[in-house]
Amino acid sequence: MKKVLAILLIVSMAISMVGCSNENNNGTNGGKGKICFIATQLGDLSFNDNGWDGIQRVGSKYGYEVKVIESGMDSSKYETAFLDLCESDYNYIVSQSGNGWGDIVFKYAAEYPEKKFIVFDCAKTTTVPADNVLCIAYCANEGSYLVGYVCAAMSQTGKIATGANRDNPNINDFFTGFINGALQYNPEIKVATAYNTVPGDATAMGEIAEQLFNAGVDVMFSVAGAAGLGIFKSAYEKNKLAVGVDSDQYLTYSNSETPELATVIMTSMIKNIGDTLVSTFDAIENGTVQWGSLSVLGIKEGGVALADNENYQKLVGEDVRKSVNELIDQIKNGEITIPSYFDFTDDAQFRDLVNSVSINN
């Protein structure tokens, strides 16, 4: 059935792949096999770039031929594109879970037992659907807890904010950790949570940030990938502070075409996507990988971290940094457990948390 479907779709695939993707090769002659990395958008100085960097390192380290496909933000084309990739000669297909990619992989993976699929940034409650799929989840609540603590400590107004592209469980896990970390430092803190009006659009995200800064927010955490550029621009223009996500965005923006924006990024919540993809292929190469499983990676496992760079050292006081390091040790040692969105019995409990700290109260 899948062969028939591929034949029927071949013409439309030729059109849709031109419309929704750009392909870049990197690596060797493919003696070890071929890896396809699906990115929604390279150049985000964040999530996608981090993952692609990891796959390129895998190619160089082990001799795989690696390729990236940029799918764009139009999810209506994803399923057709994915089926075409499954009919190609890739040995491994690596994708994020978000934007619907995880659902597509889970739907079809069992029909292609000769392929191996790695899905990263899954929900921590993910059920792995087939024994040729490996899922990776990150404890965003743990890293965001540290961010919330630092943001509350740095706020002069007692009002902080966080913004993301979409309202979904993984994003809300960031928000849950962020709010609880802020409350740990200041039980009276006010927190605004915002979702982008145009997912992926930096201008729209920047307009939201400007409104929040005008409302008294003086520190904002970006969970918006490439759209976080809008937050950083607004923070720079308003002389406010911001926090990056996924990569150390102070370093990436320092080396970008807009290095001035790095000055307002006091730290970042790092998701070590690239490193964990490399370690995944290390396990594949040494035969210890467990297909059909979910790996949940937090601070203890090196999956998430708080960026400790020169700007963090410059802007954040020694007493706050010392407290953060103590929290990190307590999390690693299991002395404290960070609340997670996935601990709630229903979404209404999360909304109650958000409303309880809203800056509108």
Side-chain angles (χ1 to χ4, degrees):
M1 179 63 186
K2 65 186 180 184
K3 296 293 184 181
V4 174
L5 180 59
I7 294 171
L8 292 174
L9 292 175
I10 191 68
V11 175
S12 63
M13 273 307 309
I15 297 172
S16 67
M17 290 298 285
V18 170
C20 77
S21 70
N22 296 307
E23 299 185 12
N24 295 303
N25 290 307
N26 190 70
T28 67
N29 60 11
K32 290 285 293 185
K34 296 183 178 182
I35 305 171
C36 178
F37 179 77
I38 302 171
T40 50
Q41 177 186 14
L42 289 182
D44 64 349
L45 305 181
S46 180
F47 187 93
N48 292 281
D49 288 354
N50 195 331
W52 174 227
D53 172 73
I55 292 300
Q56 290 179 94
R57 283 188 277 144
V58 169
S60 297
K61 185 174 184 178
Y62 290 116
Y64 289 97
E65 179 181 332
V66 299
K67 181 177 289 187
V68 61
I69 290 180
E70 296 182 70
S71 66
M73 300 299 289
D74 184 357
S75 59
S76 67
K77 298 179 180 180
Y78 291 176
E79 190 163 340
T80 302
F82 178 76
L83 289 169
D84 185 65
L85 291 175
C86 289
E87 293 295 338
S88 69
D89 60 351
Y90 292 113
N91 305 95
Y92 299 92
I93 297 175
V94 182
S95 77
Q96 62 176 287
S97 174
N99 301 324
W101 273 114
D103 292 338
I104 293 170
V105 175
F106 295 169
K107 181 178 179 180
Y108 291 106
E111 297 183 25
Y112 297 88
E114 73 281 5
K115 305 287 185 185
K116 299 293 187 183
F117 302 92
I118 300 170
V119 184
F120 62 90
D121 206 33
C122 294
K124 291 182 286 188
T125 54
T126 296
T127 299
V128 183
D131 59 9
N132 60 337
V133 178
L134 177 65
C135 293
I136 304 171
Y138 301 94
C139 297
N141 61 310
E142 293 185 359
S144 296
Y145 183 89
L146 301 178
V147 171
Y149 187 91
V150 173
C151 287
M154 294 298 293
S155 176
Q156 299 297 310
T157 64
K159 295 180 180 180
I160 62 176
T162 180
N165 277 318
R166 289 180 172 83
D167 180 352
N168 63 41
N170 275 359
I171 290 298
N172 294 336
D173 202 34
F174 277 95
F175 287 5
T176 302
F178 180 74
I179 292 170
N180 279 283
L183 289 170
Q184 174 66 29
Y185 183 85
N186 177 9
E188 303 301 320
I189 196 76
K190 296 297 181 182
V191 184
T193 56
Y195 304 102
N196 204 351
T197 53
V198 185
D201 185 85
T203 299
M205 194 76 254
E207 291 172 351
I208 292 171
E210 182 177 8
Q211 292 171 5
L212 291 170
F213 290 139
N214 287 340
V217 166
D218 57 354
V219 190
M220 186 165 181
F221 177 29
S222 167
V223 193
L229 172 63
I231 293 175
F232 304 143
K233 281 185 175 180
S234 183
Y236 180 75
E237 292 167 359
K238 296 285 185 179
N239 195 29
K240 308 298 183 181
L241 290 174
V243 174
V245 73
D246 295 334
S247 300
D248 185 337
Q249 293 196 301
Y250 167 73
L251 295 181
T252 52
Y253 273 88
S254 293
N255 297 310
S256 74
E257 296 178 355
T258 53
E260 69 278 4
L261 300 185
T263 62
V264 303
I265 305 174
M266 64 176 178
T267 186
S268 296
M269 197 220 86
I270 299 174
K271 243 186 225 181
N272 287 314
I273 296 169
D275 290 347
T276 53
L277 290 177
V278 173
S279 63
T280 296
F281 276 90
D282 289 342
I284 290 172
E285 289 296 315
N286 64 33
T288 60
V289 70
Q290 294 183 332
W291 292 102
S293 68
L294 169 70
S295 296
V296 180
L297 308 176
I299 288 175
K300 181 179 180 180
E301 297 79 17
V304 298
L306 190 73
D308 185 353
N309 53 44
E310 61 180 356
N311 217 34
Y312 177 69
Q313 297 281 338
K314 174 184 175 181
L315 296 176
V316 180
E318 183 179 0
D319 56 337
V320 175
R321 288 186 276 114
K322 181 180 178 180
S323 295
V324 168
N325 289 336
E326 290 173 353
L327 288 172
I328 291 171
D329 289 339
Q330 289 172 349
I331 294 170
K332 287 181 177 180
N333 295 333
E335 296 175 40
I336 59 173
T337 300
I338 307 305
S340 170
Y341 174 83
F342 298 100
D343 296 332
F344 294 126
T345 56
D346 56 53
D347 188 68
Q349 290 183 304
F350 167 72
R351 306 299 163 179
D352 288 342
L353 172 66
V354 169
N355 291 333
S356 71
V357 295
S358 172
I359 64 173
N360 296 319
N361 290 343

